[in-house]
Amino acid sequence: MTAADWILLARVVRPQGRKGELLADLLADFPERFADRRSVFLRPGQGRSTAAGTRASEPRPVEVENHWLHKGRIVLKFAGVDSINDAESLRGMEVVIPPEERAVLTDDEVYIDDLLDCVVYEELAGSLVEVGRITDVDTETTAGALLVILLANGGEALIPFVKAYLQRVDIAGKRIEMRLPEGLLEVNAPMSPRERALPESELLAA
């Protein structure tokens, strides 16, 4: 099984507490379904290396002793991780599971990691126009998940991932069709060279 086959559930941010608890960004699974997991796997995250200087090829299993939600993130307690030093050694690690352990979703649910690299199309006057590619999903907002879109011009846009905007989601084909409110993309358009050159006070006044 390759690294791409593993299902990414969470990414460890930092230690949380004095007894080995870990604060993590919840990336794929649904919080209530974490209660059903007695074990998960850990692997080095992007940019993190093993002692040999290369990313580990095989995730290692760990037992989940406890978990709870905290300000939009999840706190995890693993067996054998009982101190701040133990927890610090896991900073940046990814929590993954093999694909056969993935929870079955309903028709209107998707995994966050499946959205990555999908191409978003906007319906305009009966035609579909390519908006850009999803590079990330921001789940740390009170308004729900935001799709981070890399636009064709190199800029970036944030689009709420809500049912009201969705027309069609084709995960297998890496394609998402949406009907967006007028002006939504313009709000997130990159600044022009003239705008970037303006003092901050003038930019805010504009």
Side-chain angles (χ1 to χ4, degrees):
M1 185 163 53
T2 67
D5 293 327
W6 290 84
I7 307 304
L8 180 60
L9 300 186
R11 184 175 293 113
V12 175
V13 177
R14 58 175 171 78
Q16 174 81 12
R18 297 179 297 174
K19 298 181 179 180
E21 300 92 341
L22 294 155
L23 184 67
D25 285 328
L26 190 62
L27 299 177
D29 221 359
F30 297 93
E32 63 273 15
R33 295 181 184 170
F34 230 101
D36 299 328
R37 302 194 183 281
R38 293 293 174 266
S39 65
V40 293
F41 293 78
L42 290 176
R43 71 180 183 190
Q46 180 118 16
R48 180 176 174 131
S49 299
T50 63
T54 58
R55 181 165 174 165
S57 58
E58 289 296 328
R60 60 183 178 90
V62 290
E63 180 185 348
V64 180
E65 288 187 344
N66 200 0
H67 78 281
W68 60 91
L69 297 181
H70 178 71
K71 297 181 179 179
R73 288 171 163 171
I74 191 167
V75 178
L76 299 168
K77 175 63 177 70
F78 297 134
V81 181
D82 301 314
S83 69
I84 294 177
N85 287 340
D86 291 343
E88 184 63 41
S89 70
L90 299 180
R91 184 188 289 265
M93 297 289 278
E94 293 177 345
V95 182
V96 297
I97 56 171
E100 60 269 20
E101 294 184 16
R102 198 179 210 187
V104 177
L105 304 182
T106 63
D107 290 339
D108 60 351
E109 294 176 330
V110 304
Y111 279 100
I112 290 175
D113 56 333
D114 281 344
L115 295 173
L116 300 179
D117 291 325
C118 283
V119 177
V120 175
Y121 293 84
E122 179 184 12
E123 183 180 323
L124 291 172
S127 299
L128 290 173
V129 178
E130 183 175 329
V131 174
R133 180 175 57 85
I134 300 174
T135 60
D136 198 2
V137 181
D138 184 357
T139 59
E140 296 180 47
T141 68
T142 56
L146 289 174
L147 304 178
V148 181
I149 309 293
L150 177 63
L151 304 174
N153 62 7
E156 190 175 88
L158 300 177
I159 298 177
F161 188 63
V162 295
K163 290 181 181 180
Y165 298 166
L166 293 175
Q167 296 293 105
R168 180 170 175 263
V169 177
D170 179 6
I171 293 298
K174 306 300 282 185
R175 180 185 181 99
I176 297 176
E177 298 171 11
M178 307 184 81
R179 181 177 294 163
L180 303 175
E182 185 176 354
L184 178 65
L185 293 178
E186 284 73 12
V187 169
N188 294 289
M191 290 188 294
S192 67
R194 175 183 174 278
E195 289 173 324
R196 285 195 293 268
L198 288 173
E200 184 177 356
S201 59
E202 292 187 33
L203 186 60
L204 292 175

